[in-house]
Amino acid sequence: MNKMIEVRDATKHFGVGEVLKDVSFSVNEGEIFSVVGPSGGGKTTLLRCLAGLETFSAGEMSIDGDDMTHKKANERPVSLVFQEPLLFPHMTIRENVGYGLKFLDISKKEKSKRIDDFLSIVGLPEYENRYPRELSGGQKQRVALARGLILSPKLLLLDEPFSSLDRKLREEMRRWVRRLLKEKNITAVFVTHDQDEAMQVGDVIGVFREGTFEQIGSPEKVYENPQTSEVARFFGDAWVIDEMRFIPKRNLSIERIEIEEKVQWRGVIEGARFVKGYRFMEVLLDDEEEHIMLPAPEDFHTGENVYVSTDASNIRTFQQNREKR
Amino acid sequence: MKLSARIKPWLLLTPALLFLLLPLYGLWSAFRLSVYPDGKLTGQVYVRLFSHSDFLLSFFYSLWIAAASTFLSLLIGWFFTRAFVPMLERTGGRLTVWLPMVFPHFVWAYLVLLLFQEGGLVSGLLPGNRAYANDPEGVGIILTYMGKEIPFVILMLLPVYLTRNRLYDDLTETLGGCWISKIRDAELPFVTPVLIETGIIIFAFTFSAYEVPALVGATFPEMLSILTFDWFYSGDWSERPLAFAAMVFLTTVIGLISLLLFHFINKMRRNITEGL
């Protein structure tokens, strides 16, 4: 598959602080690359460098084989969709969608046709003469996406575009955006701090922390085989025993009694939690002084002493995963 | 509850409305005396006014000075604000803009006299020792107003620039725009309502103020405020209604321009504040 974007040994300094540290990755044509990581880790800086709004302090990047390292933002075949929709409030929806076409050398007729097409694609043809103030948050973000896509960019960058939407709308938008990008075969880098969102939207996941990728791989691979304790803590639903070992949470259970052939940790039920229709119990582990949330089919009571149990074979090491790479 | 919600704004506005009654009473009184000069209703005073060559000359002269002062103050004030926002954010920077606001127009006019009158500090350096105070082109008046109004424009625009979402600049650039598109599409639409509003205030003030043209204006042509003052206090009582008519006309012109522009910016402001 053709590599649409390639970044090699990229770094970025602001003063004495190093925000990006030897970042290297590539994204194939038509692939969606989710960059997920905690806030303040440098994700947005990475995206701004890819867009050309900032320059890498060192390193190279190319898009479709062309060197882009020193090109300005308005010379790159890249569109960026921001956290906020940033629609021009004084322009109609039609004018907003067609904004970038003003800078292209194409006929009026072609411009008009493209705007019509993209208004239909985002399902807002009847809103063309309205102003942004008349649209909901989700509709505004659709317009922002259409405004970016209408330029047929070789690379689409999405910087947490759903973060300002409510949960239900956010989930709808994730599905809709993924379907749209796949239909149009758009290469995209999607930045988020939400692991569910990263998995749902991306074909490939990159866990980004403290200015560098901790791990890159398919969502399933990163989820099942975290290579570092940080990836396991942030991305996988794993209980990290120490910096070397972890147990996937699905291999853990809560027991009332001590079972000799199992590995067990003593704890006390702190309370029940409900996540997406499932009941979980929060257990405070005695030795670890750590909370762990596990599904609990039985009706445990708050304050009850329990054992968090697993088979010894379920204990895995990060080293194993690194070797599997 | 509904009644109180309807009455509440009016109650809150009462002090402002009561205060507004004073100038309205003055305007009404001037209007009454301009249409009842001899106790009989007549439009004769206005016919005399509009056929008076001194009035027409003063009117267009005032219009030129007010328009030039407003335009130049807005343009230079806007340029300064956008160029020096990071400096103006700091207390020292803000103080340098605040200080000129403290001095009265009289002080600025005196400064222009010192610098630009014949033999003045700057005039002496200009080719042909050209003096710009008390000049018939009104440059001295315009310079005085600029000295005072540019800081005012900066202070009005500064909050807009400090709160403006600069991501719009980035957005414009990623969509293919250059620096001109950034100013046109990402900056001016957010600044324009305040620029227009500030322009209305400066225009209304410079069009009708007396102090500055009296100090640094030429003896001919005169600005409208000087002419009406002369008419009002001249020994010939028959000229006093002309002063009233001129003031009523001036107020009407400023009022109509303000209404028109306020209507224009209201829609613009609504789109901007609600559309973000």
Side-chain angles (χ1 to χ4, degrees), chain B residues 173-246:
Chain B
E173 207 179 332
T174 57
L175 291 171
C178 58
W179 65 272
I180 298 172
S181 344
K182 277 192 204 176
I183 295 177
R184 188 190 55 210
D185 303 319
E187 191 178 320
L188 271 181
F190 299 93
V191 175
T192 306
V194 180
L195 266 180
I196 294 176
E197 218 163 42
T198 312
I200 294 172
I201 296 170
I202 296 174
F203 182 81
F205 178 76
T206 51
F207 198 27
S208 57
Y210 176 82
E211 191 181 9
V212 173
L215 276 163
V216 284
T219 40
F220 186 82
E222 288 177 318
M223 277 189 80
L224 208 48
S225 51
I226 307 285
L227 183 71
T228 47
F229 187 85
D230 291 346
W231 278 342
F232 190 84
Y233 277 121
S234 78
D236 184 357
W237 276 72
S238 69
E239 286 188 335
R240 191 167 269 204
L242 280 177
F244 291 132

Side-chain angles (χ1 to χ4, degrees), chain A residues 48 51 53 73-74 78 80 82 84 86-91 99-100 102-103 131-133 140 147 151, chain B residues 165 167-168 170-178 181 184-186 189-190 267 270-272 274-276:
Chain A
R48 288 179 65 82
L53 295 168
N74 55 3
V78 176
L80 172 58
F82 294 80
E84 305 160 58
L86 295 179
L87 301 186
F88 293 110
H90 58 290
M91 294 183 191
Y99 181 79
K102 283 203 282 194
F103 310 111
Y131 283 89
R133 67 181 163 84
K140 281 183 193 172
R147 183 176 57 186
L151 300 172
Chain B
N165 190 344
L167 285 176
Y168 275 102
D170 295 341
L171 171 79
T172 310
E173 207 179 332
T174 57
L175 291 171
C178 58
S181 344
R184 188 190 55 210
D185 303 319
F190 299 93
K267 195 185 168 198
R270 192 172 166 217
N271 278 341
I272 285 168
E274 293 175 20
L276 290 174

Side-chain angles (χ1 to χ4, degrees), chain A residues 90-156:
Chain A
H90 58 290
M91 294 183 191
T92 62
I93 300 308
R94 187 174 184 83
E95 288 165 339
N96 263 288
V97 170
Y99 181 79
L101 297 179
K102 283 203 282 194
F103 310 111
L104 298 183
D105 189 19
I106 51 172
S107 69
K108 261 189 175 179
K109 201 176 158 191
E110 169 65 15
K111 279 180 194 168
S112 185
K113 190 187 167 300
R114 275 212 221 174
I115 297 171
D116 288 339
D117 288 350
F118 275 88
L119 279 169
S120 299
I121 287 168
V122 295
L124 297 165
E126 68 275 26
Y127 289 83
E128 63 173 335
N129 293 320
R130 300 216 189 158
Y131 283 89
R133 67 181 163 84
E134 298 170 87
L135 265 61
S136 69
Q139 287 171 326
K140 281 183 193 172
Q141 205 51 283
R142 282 175 185 233
V143 175
L145 198 69
R147 183 176 57 186
L149 287 176
I150 201 168
L151 300 172
S152 310
K154 287 186 175 173
L155 174 66
L156 180 72

Side-chain angles (χ1 to χ4, degrees), chain B residues 79-117:
Chain B
F79 174 77
F80 263 89
T81 316
R82 66 186 307 276
F84 299 111
V85 169
M87 280 166 73
L88 293 169
E89 268 181 284
R90 288 181 237 135
T91 317
R94 209 171 289 193
L95 204 65
T96 54
V97 186
W98 259 109
L99 270 178
M101 297 290 294
V102 177
F103 302 114
H105 276 87
F106 188 97
V107 175
W108 277 107
Y110 183 58
L111 184 74
V112 168
L113 268 182
L114 286 177
L115 297 176
F116 293 99
Q117 69 185 347

